Amino acid sequence: MQNQPLSPVPPMGWNSWNTFYDQISEELICETADAMADKGLLSAGYEYLIIDDCWSMRERDQQGNLTADPEKFPHGMKYVADYVHAKGFKLGLYACCGVRTCAGYPGSFEHEFQDAAQFAEWGVDYLKYDNCHRPASIPSEILCRRMGMALRNCGRDILFAVCQWGTENVREWIRSTGAQTFRSTVDIQDSWKSIEKIALSRIEHPCSAPGCFDDMDILVAGMYGRGMNPETSMGGCTEEEYRTHFALWATLGSPLMIGCDVRTMPEEILALLTNRDLLSIHQDPECGSCYKAAVYGNPDAFVLVKPLRGGDYALGFFNFSDVPANLTLNFWDLGLSAVSGRGLRFHDCLSNQDPGIFTEQFSVKLPSHGCGVYRCQVVGL
């Protein structure tokens, strides 16, 4: 097992739940691995392929082991892991701390060490651990620590991704479980209102830190309302809204787990998900937290400020209103006074253009639900 942190920066990958729901299979996972490699998603940093709920048989076998559904995974889970690994990816799998998973399959309650050993034997690299159907008398804090201990002693490095939904003051104890990521929000839906609600809740309670990242849930960018999951697939979003969605998740440092069908994703979505400037902000080694800066122009618009390694700053301008907005940021609200003799050199991460050097303030006009993200360097004048 390695000595370095399992996830020094927020993890990236793909998850089956949003689009495919219970319609998962060996063929789908292998085709997704092929497509992600061919489209450059692996080289962009998306290394985990996560099989969500509904992969197992409805009951454990006679030895109490979880077994993959042979109709969905005829060659077994070890075969899938080997295929994914051969492509350069890592395999993620789903389990739950309760007696049943959210979809009614066997949970890991009182089977934590047995299941962790099984996952390690199969070659699993990532465990999404959900919070359904657990005994009401046992706090999820205890159950997460149980699985955390089991994973740390299973003989294989397995990233522990707790899906806890933000209940029971999870931010206060999650790091003590050994988790590398934790869900602190409700499930996402393929709609602007859902994106907005999750983003605003996360901005008000920032909690990400190196080694344990606040997960804002799976990306819906590129779904366009076509998913099979009735809980997730709403009416879809516009391309502008998907752009803002991805920019928010990247700037705030959430794990980036693609949720659309990568085999058929449009070129504009592929370009968005592989935007090098946005991903460099997301993967910045300092993993700094954002703060919200005041802007002038619209009460439903704001700027997120994120310090980056080497002295640069990421500035994300976001317009959550239903009408276009002119946003003005005064640099003294960032700590950069007019008498400092310094300004900011702006690089537009979405257009790959360089607007130039600005002093005292910067203004931008954004469409409804639109955004602008800039990497800024402090320069002498």
Side-chain angles (χ1 to χ4, degrees), residues 199-247:
L200 290 176
S201 70
R202 172 65 172 77
I203 291 167
E204 295 303 320
H205 301 283
C207 193
S208 273
C212 187
F213 301 99
D214 191 338
D215 183 0
M216 297 163 65
D217 207 5
I218 307 163
L219 295 165
V220 296
M223 288 183 62
Y224 293 106
R226 294 193 293 263
M228 301 177 189
N229 189 337
E231 299 173 359
T232 302
S233 301
M234 301 294 109
C237 299
T238 66
E239 186 178 337
E240 188 74 50
E241 290 167 341
Y242 283 143
R243 185 181 299 113
T244 298
H245 164 44
F246 184 72

Side-chain angles (χ1 to χ4, degrees), residues 10 202 208 213-214 216 248-255 282 288 290 306:
R202 172 65 172 77
S208 273
F213 301 99
D214 191 338
M216 297 163 65
L248 281 162
W249 266 234
T251 304
L252 289 165
S254 172
H282 178 259
C290 292
K306 181 174 185 175

Side-chain angles (χ1 to χ4, degrees), residues 163-174:
C163 184
Q164 209 278 337
W165 321 328
T167 63
E168 299 181 66
N169 300 314
V170 62
R171 295 176 176 87
E172 298 178 5
W173 51 260
I174 188 60

Side-chain angles (χ1 to χ4, degrees), residues 26-265:
E26 175 182 299
E27 181 181 20
L28 169 67
I29 302 307
C30 294
E31 287 182 357
T32 298
D34 294 343
M36 289 181 69
D38 293 343
K39 294 175 184 288
L41 288 165
L42 176 60
S43 58
Y46 295 92
E47 61 177 341
Y48 291 99
L49 267 73
I50 302 162
I51 303 171
D52 213 290
D53 204 351
C54 310
W55 61 266
S56 76
M57 294 293 288
R58 286 287 183 178
E59 302 296 337
R60 292 175 178 269
D61 68 14
Q62 291 184 347
Q63 289 73 45
N65 293 316
L66 294 170
T67 57
D69 185 331
E71 292 188 5
K72 296 177 179 179
F73 299 93
H75 294 94
M77 204 55 72
K78 180 67 165 59
Y79 172 88
V80 178
D82 289 345
Y83 189 96
V84 165
H85 291 157
K87 287 287 183 177
F89 294 97
K90 297 177 181 178
L91 182 68
L93 205 58
Y94 171 98
C96 186
C97 71
V99 297
R100 289 278 160 177
T101 71
C102 297
Y105 293 80
S108 290
F109 179 69
E110 298 290 349
H111 290 272
E112 291 86 358
F113 277 83
Q114 182 178 13
D115 290 354
Q118 182 71 76
F119 301 148
E121 182 181 333
W122 285 338
V124 171
D125 306 290
Y126 177 114
L127 183 68
K128 177 180 175 180
Y129 204 51
D130 219 333
N131 197 37
C132 288
H133 301 296
R134 60 181 176 81
S137 59
I138 305 180
S140 61
E141 177 180 358
I142 298 299
L143 297 181
C144 289
R145 285 181 179 150
R146 281 190 194 176
M147 181 55 83
M149 179 181 287
L151 292 175
R152 293 168 75 86
N153 289 275
C154 72
R156 182 178 180 83
D157 290 321
I158 299 179
L159 189 151
F160 189 26
V162 173
C163 184
Q164 209 278 337
W165 321 328
T167 63
E168 299 181 66
N169 300 314
V170 62
R171 295 176 176 87
E172 298 178 5
W173 51 260
I174 188 60
R175 295 181 71 87
S176 69
T177 69
Q180 281 76 41
T181 75
F182 69 102
R183 271 275 306 285
S184 63
T185 69
V186 297
D187 288 0
I188 197 169
Q189 296 174 332
D190 188 12
S191 72
W192 170 252
K193 286 299 182 183
S194 176
I195 292 168
E196 179 183 50
K197 179 179 179 180
I198 289 174
L200 290 176
S201 70
R202 172 65 172 77
I203 291 167
E204 295 303 320
H205 301 283
C207 193
S208 273
C212 187
F213 301 99
D214 191 338
D215 183 0
M216 297 163 65
D217 207 5
I218 307 163
L219 295 165
V220 296
M223 288 183 62
Y224 293 106
R226 294 193 293 263
M228 301 177 189
N229 189 337
E231 299 173 359
T232 302
S233 301
M234 301 294 109
C237 299
T238 66
E239 186 178 337
E240 188 74 50
E241 290 167 341
Y242 283 143
R243 185 181 299 113
T244 298
H245 164 44
F246 184 72
L248 281 162
W249 266 234
T251 304
L252 289 165
S254 172
L256 297 179
M257 299 299 166
I258 300 168
C260 67
D261 187 346
V262 298
R263 300 170 302 176
T264 59
M265 70 164 65

